[in-house]
Amino acid sequence: MNLRRVSTGVGRLLAAGSLAATGLLVVVPNALALAAGQPLAGTAVASLGTALGLVVVAASAVLYRADISTRNVARVAAWNLLGLVVLGAVLLLSRSTIDAAVPLFLVASVLAVSSFAHLVIGVHDVLRIRAGELARERERLSVVNTLLRHNLRNEAQLLLGLAGAVEDAETRERIEAVGDRLGDLNDKARELQRLLDEPSDGEARDLSALVAGVVSTVRERHPDATFETAVPDGVSVAGDERLERVVRELVENAAVHAGDAPTVTVSATVEGAGSRWPSATTGRASRRWSRRSSAARSP
């Protein structure tokens, strides 16, 4: 058993559990007040507190299952607890200066507002941090991609130059063909990097239909290959025509570089609030390109 994974799972559960606990803490007094009956103003306040508390409880479940790190889940929970503790302390200190008794549900409603507000602050803080991490990751990948393309181009040019020194015509042609393919790979890598770097218009597209269209096109170019798809229905992804080109390059590379008469399986999975897609797998190789997006299942 992986103790680190267990520890991470327990920490994630505790963080999400603390959120759920604070939500229930403010829901119960307000729900009891509504059940007991209140004047119009009291009913409105208790209803607001109940609704916000339920939102916090629901958010705890969403964050537990979301595709974010346990540290970030704990960060949101810490923001939530901070708002609850600070405002709770203020209310406790203010109580000594107020002669009249304050209904418990009113206190709970005020705490519910603070809990919800700090939940929003925590989520925004996590999104800000995640955006910075993604920007740094993209920058590192861009550097690695540039370095690899540079080396690939140099090796292709060297190979083509050495081919001229080979006397056997058949061997020379095979070497030149390999050099040409290396040069094509360099061009494709550069083009894919450009496509990924350029902003998308965010148009929602059906992933299943997109993959089916790409497979149909690639099948015509490679009639000896067998193509299978395992893409769930009702999944939308944000992208434009460049997205289709990226997927086509992925599938075609799997068909070209997997030997004679390969079987290519294109699959996609939905994880949390994003998608991982597609995976083009053959008997000899597996090539995966993944992207986090606001993919969502259609009703």
Side-chain angles (χ1 to χ4, degrees):
M1 181 179 293
N2 191 322
L3 294 180
R4 183 175 182 180
R5 180 176 297 180
V6 172
S7 177
T8 300
V10 171
R12 191 180 189 89
L13 182 62
L14 290 175
S18 70
L19 274 173
T22 57
L24 292 174
L25 182 66
V26 298
V27 164
V28 172
N30 283 292
L32 293 176
L34 289 174
Q38 299 293 329
L40 181 60
T43 300
V45 171
S47 298
L48 176 62
T50 301
L52 293 179
L54 291 176
V55 169
V56 174
V57 173
S60 68
V62 172
L63 287 172
Y64 180 78
R65 296 174 58 86
D67 186 28
I68 59 176
S69 67
T70 298
R71 177 178 296 181
N72 284 334
V73 175
R75 182 182 294 273
V76 176
W79 273 107
N80 180 69
L81 287 175
L82 177 64
L84 203 66
V85 170
V86 171
L87 186 57
V90 172
L91 292 176
L92 186 61
L93 292 175
S94 301
R95 185 176 181 182
S96 60
T97 63
I98 301 176
D99 296 331
V102 179
L104 181 60
F105 79 89
L106 182 58
V107 175
S109 294
V110 174
L111 292 177
V113 173
S114 177
S115 177
F116 175 76
H118 282 79
L119 172 65
V120 174
I121 293 173
V123 171
H124 183 271
D125 187 36
V126 167
L127 292 177
R128 177 186 58 80
I129 293 174
R130 182 57 179 158
E133 292 174 347
L134 290 175
R136 289 189 294 272
E137 181 180 349
R138 179 179 289 274
E139 183 177 357
R140 289 194 296 268
L141 290 176
S142 178
V143 172
V144 172
N145 178 67
T146 301
L147 178 62
L148 290 177
R149 287 194 293 105
H150 174 75
N151 292 340
L152 186 62
R153 183 176 62 253
N154 288 344
E155 294 299 325
Q157 292 173 347
L158 177 61
L159 189 61
L160 291 173
L162 292 175
V166 177
E167 296 181 357
D168 184 74
E170 182 179 355
T171 302
R172 183 170 61 251
E173 290 177 357
R174 294 179 63 182
I175 294 175
E176 290 175 347
V178 172
D180 290 337
R181 286 200 297 270
L182 288 176
D184 290 341
L185 286 176
N186 174 70
D187 294 338
K188 288 183 178 180
R190 182 175 62 251
E191 179 65 13
L192 288 177
Q193 183 66 43
R194 184 187 66 80
L195 293 175
L196 292 174
D197 287 341
E198 291 183 359
S200 170
D201 59 9
E203 179 184 356
R205 304 189 64 180
D206 182 78
L207 181 58
S208 179
L210 186 150
V211 171
V214 167
V215 169
S216 177
T217 300
V218 178
R219 182 183 286 115
E220 294 178 358
R221 300 177 182 176
H222 304 279
D224 293 337
T226 301
F227 294 89
E228 300 175 353
T229 60
V231 181
D233 295 328
V235 177
S236 298
V237 293
D240 52 24
E241 66 278 0
R242 292 170 296 175
L243 171 62
E244 183 175 346
R245 182 169 182 178
V246 170
V247 178
R248 185 171 63 251
E249 291 288 351
L250 172 74
V251 177
E252 189 156 20
N253 281 342
V256 169
H257 300 290
D260 297 332
T263 297
V264 180
T265 300
V266 185
S267 63
T269 58
V270 178
E271 301 175 358
S275 64
R276 184 179 296 278
W277 52 269
S279 173
T281 308
T282 68
R284 294 181 54 186
S286 176
R287 296 173 174 81
R288 183 182 295 273
W289 184 77
S290 62
R291 167 178 174 176
R292 296 293 172 191
S293 69
S294 55
R297 290 187 180 276
S298 300

